[in-house]
Amino acid sequence: MEVAEFAPGAALIAIRGDVTAACEQDLMAAHEEATDTGAKLVILDFSAMDYMNSGGIGMLVTLLVRGQRRQQRLAAIGLTEHYRQIFELTRLDEAIGLFDDAASAVAAA
């Protein structure tokens, strides 16, 4: 996972490969790095994600709670239609904004 400052107050975490419980340390470390940049908006870029299971969904809920404690908003970009539907079914889309690209996420924030 790579972290980059996308705009002032906004960091982007590029997620690659599989999102499962096995990558929890990597995701949490990336979130810490994004937080250290002063980000109030954390954009999760799923465009290079291969697979996500229920453990990965659970990790996103944990990340959401951590972000809320730090008064951060989370946004997601790059989700396939399949994973957009999963976000809707699990109601994650009510807490994590779904956007077509990072610029749209920043504009909505």
Side-chain angles (χ1 to χ4, degrees), residues 64-104:
L64 180 61
V65 170
R66 287 178 67 169
Q68 287 174 339
R69 287 182 184 151
R70 295 171 181 178
Q71 299 175 337
Q72 293 173 321
R73 297 179 67 191
L74 294 183
I77 63 171
L79 288 168
T80 65
E81 187 59 34
H82 171 73
Y83 287 110
R84 276 182 173 261
Q85 289 175 354
I86 289 173
F87 270 55
E88 291 166 6
L89 286 171
T90 59
R91 299 177 71 185
L92 272 175
D93 65 323
E94 294 176 12
I96 300 174
L98 305 183
F99 297 93
D100 292 330
D101 54 47
S104 299

Side-chain angles (χ1 to χ4, degrees), residues 14-25:
I15 297 171
R16 299 186 190 334
D18 295 343
V19 178
T20 65
C23 71
E24 181 174 9
Q25 284 185 330

Side-chain angles (χ1 to χ4, degrees), residues 13-38:
I13 300 175
I15 297 171
R16 299 186 190 334
D18 295 343
V19 178
T20 65
C23 71
E24 181 174 9
Q25 284 185 330
D26 292 338
L27 182 59
M28 296 308 157
H31 181 253
E32 285 299 320
E33 186 178 337
T35 298
D36 289 346
T37 69

